[in-house]
């Protein structure tokens, strides 16, 4: 696949924004195993907060039901505990070697922050902004 020169120049100049969503954590390791996928996370949340119900639904919907049945804090704590020891893969460690204008992610994990924290030669620091 050929990458347009214009895009290469934008990235090289630090003007590109990186958007990461589902699949961005692929390859990350948790206790030596692959990290849970979105569907696996949905099932874990369903098991923990909904008695295993609604597994056929989307992650966002199952998460909202879990919050409704418990609390935002309880669901966030559960997800935090699941992902707190997630280790970045080699390809995640490349991200801090590029100067980004911004990085946006919709993921529950902190894999990007971990990649930056683990790269002493990173080109920039980060600031986390969290929103519901």
């Amino acid at each position: 696949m050929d990458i347009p020169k214009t895009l290469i120049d934008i990235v090289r100049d630090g003007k590109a924004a990186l958007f990461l969503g589902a699949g961005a954590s692929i390859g990350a390791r948790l206790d030596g195993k692959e990290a849970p996928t979105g569907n696996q996370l949905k099932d874990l949340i369903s098991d923990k907060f909904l008695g295993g119900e609604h597994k056929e639904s989307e992650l966002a919907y199952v998460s909202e039901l879990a919050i409704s049945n418990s609390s935002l804090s309880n669901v966030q704590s559960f997800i935090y505990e699941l992902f707190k020891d997630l280790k970045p893969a080699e390809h995640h460690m490349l991200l801090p070697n590029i100067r980004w204008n911004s990085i946006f992610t919709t993921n529950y994990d902190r894999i990007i922050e971990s990649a930056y924290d683990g790269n002493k030669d990173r080109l920039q620091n980060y600031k986390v902004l969290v929103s519901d």
Side-chain angles (χ1 to χ4, degrees), residues 78-94:
F78 176 73
I79 293 169
Y80 171 78
E81 287 299 320
L82 278 175
F83 289 113
K84 71 178 181 180
D85 296 321
L86 190 64
K87 304 290 185 236
E90 273 186 52
H91 57 271
H92 296 119
M93 298 305 291
L94 298 174

Side-chain angles (χ1 to χ4, degrees), residues 3-117:
I3 300 173
K5 182 183 178 324
T6 305
L7 180 57
I8 292 170
D9 291 342
I10 289 169
V11 172
R12 185 179 297 121
D13 294 342
K15 295 178 181 177
L18 180 63
F19 291 87
L20 301 169
S25 299
I26 289 175
R29 308 297 286 174
L30 189 59
D31 297 325
K33 299 180 283 194
E34 285 280 327
T37 64
N39 280 332
Q40 291 167 334
L41 175 59
K42 172 193 60 166
D43 291 348
L44 291 169
I45 292 171
S46 171
D47 290 341
K48 174 75 175 174
F49 297 99
L50 305 174
E53 295 183 12
H54 303 285
K55 288 185 178 182
E56 72 286 350
S57 300
E58 297 293 321
L59 172 59
Y61 181 72
V62 170
S63 298
E64 288 299 322
L65 286 177
I67 291 165
S68 179
N69 282 358
S70 182
S71 72
L72 177 60
S73 176
N74 285 342
V75 174
Q76 287 177 335
S77 293
F78 176 73
I79 293 169
Y80 171 78
E81 287 299 320
L82 278 175
F83 289 113
K84 71 178 181 180
D85 296 321
L86 190 64
K87 304 290 185 236
E90 273 186 52
H91 57 271
H92 296 119
M93 298 305 291
L94 298 174
L95 293 175
N97 297 329
I98 299 169
R99 186 172 304 281
W100 301 100
N101 180 280
S102 304
I103 299 176
F104 300 92
T105 179
T106 60
N107 290 2
Y108 288 115
D109 60 68
R110 296 189 71 248
I111 198 68
I112 303 305
E113 293 93 328
S114 295
Y116 272 80
D117 292 343

